[in-house]
Amino acid sequence: MRRFALVSALSILSLGAMAQQRWHIMPSQKEIDFRKMNPKPAATTAAKTTAVWELPAGARYPGEFEESQAVLLAWVYDYVPPYAVDVSSYYANAWGDMAAAIQDECSVWIRIEQGADSNTIKTFMANRGTPLTNYRFYVAAGDDFWIRDFGPLSFYHGSNDDLGFLDMNYYPGRANDDVYPDFLANQLGITNVRTSLYAEGGNYITDGLGTSFHSDRIHKINTVDNPWTLQQVKDTVKRVWASNAVVTTPELKCDGGTGHNDMFMKLMDEQTFAIMEYPNTVTATDYTTIQNVINQLIALKTPYNTAYRIFKLPMPTQDNGTTLKTCSSIDGDARTFVNGTTVNKTYIMPSYSDGSSGNQQGDQDAINIFKKNAPGYKVVPIDARGLTVLGGAIHCVNMQIPADNPIHFWHPPVIDLQPKQDNYHIVSKITNRSGIATAKCLWRMKGAASWNTINLTDSSGYWIGDISGTFNHPDVVEYYLTATSNNGKTMTKPITAPSGGYYTFYLKWAASVYELDKDRNFVLNPLPNPTTGVFDIPVSFETEMHLEAQITDVFGKKINAADFGTRERGMNKLKIDITELPTGMYFIQVIANGQVADTKRIVKQ
């Protein structure tokens, strides 16, 4: 659950003076008591109770990386009467930055509490040089601005891909926020499905193809507050999220109190995770928890039966460039670059600097890593320092509304190292409510000025074709798909094509592992450590590798070796047995294609 900030107009200073702001953090029970003493005004347009309790058959929740028609914001208000709309604080500027970035991609839908507040916000946006041009206001009572958590989860259903909302139980003390999905569904005239499940949108990730991810915080809350058995919670999650598979990860203990998985992990497409990496100087247990989550992903397969790809974003530093190490210190300011929002071809990234303060180079380094590993996205950094001290960041304060009339692609991409051949088969299932008129694959040698076009043909519901030519080492091929529906809409896969977000495959990789992208190729710490003998070392490589391990003692003497043979790209687990060795400390060198990839320490008990 999000912490609550009791912030009066007098305690909010300007964005430039943010370092001097005074924050008053209150746990949720104190917020509940505060709300009872200071109830918010009723909505101008009240929510209606027209919700249903059963999800339509065949419902599909789209991934956040799919097309959006709008993004919701709950505009910021003062927390004490007269609850004036905020157009002067750090928060107002942050919300203005978000609204400006969103409307470049789609409509920004803004919840306000009084109709007249719309003119105040429009004047504020115009005066700051970012006038609202693609927007819609909704007047409804509200309690707070964490709309990712109380806003609706959206799904498609029926042959026309009609939009529907899932309205989950939001925790007590924010009654106005809890009814907002029902209110918005009635405004839009769409189905709103209610559930008794206590859950928040910040603790929900889906690949758009039936697999969902959440932390075990949902288990803990619902076995107490409902109360349900653990099996009832699991069954309900799977049913209301229309999931074929549900992956439960351990919650972080030092993330500002949320327990939400969006604080450290994000799906960038059906098979690529961005995950926050703590430096090894961090003593908080979350360092190990994140390592365990990555280790957990090793055993999983994507919807295309391939290994998940992972790239790591660093833990942001403090303003002076130092890193928080203990759980209590991190918990008070849980900074993360991962808690951002993808909206069509833009990634709105939480940053931790402005023109005069903060670690500007650290922000730029994170932006560069993101652009390298998720090419094609426009990255818009927004200073999140006023949010992380409250237990959230950018992703927590907005919510995507999926596109109307979507074109949906299922496509196992041809990527990474490929064998030398003359034809590379392309297959995709592409759907739209009106049907697909044409589908094409555009490909080229990397760096070429023009694209080759393959007209894909419909074969029993799958669009197929071949990238054909004479390929030689060390060729690099990039491609993307484009489809036009019978009702005239055109979309690409990836969505960031042709802005640079292409699928890429290679005919030859560099011999040295050190020449590979270090954000995608790495060795994790042994688990368990200490060990009584048998332990695993998780590794991830972007191409298949011949993997070996050498075990040495503290003096560098070689004790043993293991050959794991050639492993496929993606996550792998190297199992090592040192049961016969005496107690003490040892070092494990992981060798990939003859090069030392990394060295890890293990303690034998």
Side-chain angles (χ1 to χ4, degrees):
M1 299 180 183
R2 302 285 178 198
R3 287 176 173 170
F4 168 70
L6 173 57
V7 187
S8 70
L10 294 177
S11 68
I12 300 290
L13 303 183
S14 67
L15 179 63
M18 202 186 88
Q20 301 176 14
Q21 291 177 5
R22 300 187 297 275
W23 309 107
H24 303 277
I25 311 301
M26 300 174 64
S28 59
Q29 186 55 52
K30 289 186 178 180
E31 179 187 352
I32 294 170
D33 296 339
F34 175 81
R35 289 299 185 206
K36 289 179 180 178
M37 295 174 61
N38 299 273
K40 297 299 291 288
T44 302
T45 304
K48 302 175 183 178
T49 308
T50 59
V52 298
W53 290 86
E54 291 296 330
L55 200 69
R60 183 186 76 86
Y61 289 84
E64 290 183 22
F65 43 82
E66 296 184 45
E67 184 191 9
S68 296
Q69 63 171 300
V71 177
L72 303 176
L73 296 177
W75 200 270
V76 192
Y77 281 75
D78 291 341
Y79 281 97
V80 294
Y83 306 111
V85 63
D86 181 0
V87 290
S88 61
S89 75
Y90 153 81
Y91 296 103
N93 280 284
W95 263 242
D97 289 342
M98 281 190 288
I102 291 165
Q103 69 177 4
D104 283 346
E105 291 286 354
C106 62
S107 182
V108 54
W109 292 357
I110 304 172
R111 185 187 73 178
I112 55 177
E113 300 190 12
Q114 302 294 331
D117 296 337
S118 62
N119 290 327
T120 304
I121 293 171
K122 285 190 288 185
T123 299
F124 164 74
M125 292 292 290
N127 288 341
R128 70 194 298 273
T130 57
L132 288 176
T133 57
N134 187 6
Y135 64 93
R136 188 171 177 179
F137 287 103
Y138 289 93
V139 182
D143 298 310
D144 220 319
F145 49 64
W146 305 106
I147 200 167
R148 172 68 53 178
D149 292 340
F150 66 79
L153 293 184
S154 301
F155 60 84
Y156 292 117
H157 64 100
S159 58
N160 287 325
D161 276 333
D162 294 322
L163 191 64
F165 287 163
L166 179 70
D167 183 1
M168 301 181 294
N169 258 352
Y170 195 42
Y171 66 91
R174 295 177 182 170
N176 290 314
D177 288 347
D178 190 32
V179 300
Y180 187 69
D182 191 37
F183 162 80
L184 188 61
N186 278 279
Q187 292 289 299
L188 299 175
I190 64 175
T191 298
N192 185 50
V193 178
R194 294 192 63 188
T195 173
S196 298
L197 179 75
Y198 282 99
E200 295 147 0
N203 201 7
Y204 171 81
I205 297 173
T206 180
D207 63 6
L209 295 172
T211 300
S212 60
F213 302 77
H214 68 81
S215 83
D216 54 12
R217 171 66 67 92
I218 289 179
H219 293 170
K220 297 171 185 175
I221 292 175
N222 285 278
T223 52
V224 173
D225 289 352
N226 266 319
W228 294 341
T229 66
L230 179 58
Q231 190 59 51
Q232 285 176 313
V233 178
K234 292 180 177 181
D235 291 343
T236 302
V237 166
K238 190 172 185 179
R239 184 180 74 254
V240 301
W241 286 353
S243 298
N244 301 319
V246 179
V247 180
T248 304
T249 58
E251 66 171 293
L252 299 186
K253 303 299 183 183
C254 324
D255 65 350
T258 75
H260 293 174
N261 58 10
D262 71 343
M263 292 297 285
F264 73 100
M265 58 190 295
K266 184 177 193 66
L267 264 178
M268 295 307 304
D269 58 32
E270 304 96 312
Q271 57 180 6
T272 306
F273 272 104
I275 295 184
M276 180 169 64
E277 179 184 35
Y278 282 173
N280 56 18
T281 56
V282 171
T283 59
T285 57
D286 288 350
Y287 173 86
T288 302
T289 299
I290 293 176
Q291 298 282 328
N292 289 341
V293 169
I294 296 177
N295 190 41
Q296 184 178 354
L297 296 178
I298 296 173
L300 304 179
K301 294 291 186 182
T302 73
Y304 308 130
N305 199 34
T306 56
Y308 279 101
R309 310 169 93 208
I310 294 173
F311 72 90
K312 300 177 290 183
L313 285 168
M315 176 188 186
T317 69
Q318 295 301 290
D319 288 3
N320 61 5
T322 61
T323 300
L324 298 180
K325 299 178 181 180
T326 66
C327 186
S328 58
S329 62
I330 296 172
D331 197 43
D333 189 2
R335 300 186 177 191
T336 169
F337 292 117
V338 177
N339 189 271
T341 300
T342 49
V343 47
N344 297 337
K345 299 177 183 179
T346 292
Y347 180 60
I348 306 175
M349 174 183 282
S351 63
Y352 302 92
S353 66
D354 55 24
S356 59
S357 66
N359 185 354
Q360 298 177 39
Q361 186 58 55
D363 286 347
Q364 188 59 54
D365 290 344
I367 291 171
N368 292 342
I369 291 172
F370 186 91
K371 286 184 174 180
K372 180 172 62 175
N373 291 285
Y377 279 100
K378 174 185 177 183
V379 179
V380 178
I382 295 180
D383 193 339
R385 286 177 289 178
L387 289 169
T388 51
V389 292
L390 306 181
I394 298 300
H395 188 252
C396 306
V397 293
N398 51 63
M399 173 63 87
Q400 296 98 327
I401 301 296
D404 187 32
N405 187 35
I407 293 180
H408 180 239
F409 293 81
W410 174 94
H411 171 57
V414 181
I415 52 177
D416 301 331
L417 179 68
Q418 295 293 324
K420 185 182 185 310
Q421 55 195 52
D422 295 331
N423 297 287
Y424 296 91
H425 193 54
I426 301 297
V427 59
S428 182
K429 189 174 182 63
I430 311 173
T431 57
N432 174 263
R433 63 178 58 163
S434 68
I436 300 299
T438 61
K440 301 176 182 180
C441 171
L442 278 71
W443 71 273
R444 68 181 181 184
M445 296 295 187
K446 187 173 183 178
S450 60
W451 294 85
N452 303 293
T453 299
I454 304 168
N455 292 313
L456 303 179
T457 59
D458 188 355
S459 175
S460 301
Y462 292 88
W463 293 86
I464 62 173
D466 292 286
I467 296 176
S468 302
T470 301
F471 303 103
N472 298 295
H473 301 308
D475 289 340
V476 178
V477 179
E478 52 192 15
Y479 77 93
Y480 67 94
L481 307 184
T482 180
T484 300
S485 64
N486 288 326
N487 58 25
K489 182 173 183 176
T490 298
M491 287 295 295
T492 65
K493 179 72 172 178
I495 195 172
T496 51
S499 302
Y502 314 124
Y503 295 118
T504 303
F505 64 89
Y506 306 78
L507 275 296
K508 182 180 179 181
W509 285 80
S512 171
V513 68
Y514 294 114
E515 296 181 35
L516 296 178
D517 183 349
K518 298 296 288 185
D519 300 311
R520 289 184 182 271
N521 301 272
F522 48 85
V523 179
L524 297 176
N525 291 328
L527 294 170
N529 190 8
T531 179
T532 57
V534 180
F535 61 93
D536 296 320
I537 294 185
V539 299
S540 179
F541 291 102
E542 203 173 12
T543 180
E544 66 177 24
M545 288 280 182
H546 185 93
L547 300 179
E548 303 169 81
Q550 291 188 359
I551 304 169
T552 62
D553 61 18
V554 293
F555 301 106
K557 179 182 177 181
K558 182 178 175 181
I559 303 296
N560 209 337
D563 189 330
F564 301 98
T566 299
R567 296 294 185 93
E568 66 177 1
R569 71 165 185 87
M571 298 296 296
N572 282 274
K573 187 183 296 184
L574 309 182
K575 187 172 290 294
I576 298 175
D577 188 347
I578 58 172
T579 305
E580 301 303 319
L581 297 181
T583 59
M585 183 185 300
Y586 298 91
F587 293 92
I588 315 297
Q589 284 187 335
V590 177
I591 301 170
N593 283 0
Q595 300 289 326
V596 176
D598 208 341
T599 301
K600 297 296 181 180
R601 184 181 65 177
I602 189 77
V603 176
K604 166 72 186 309
Q605 292 180 330

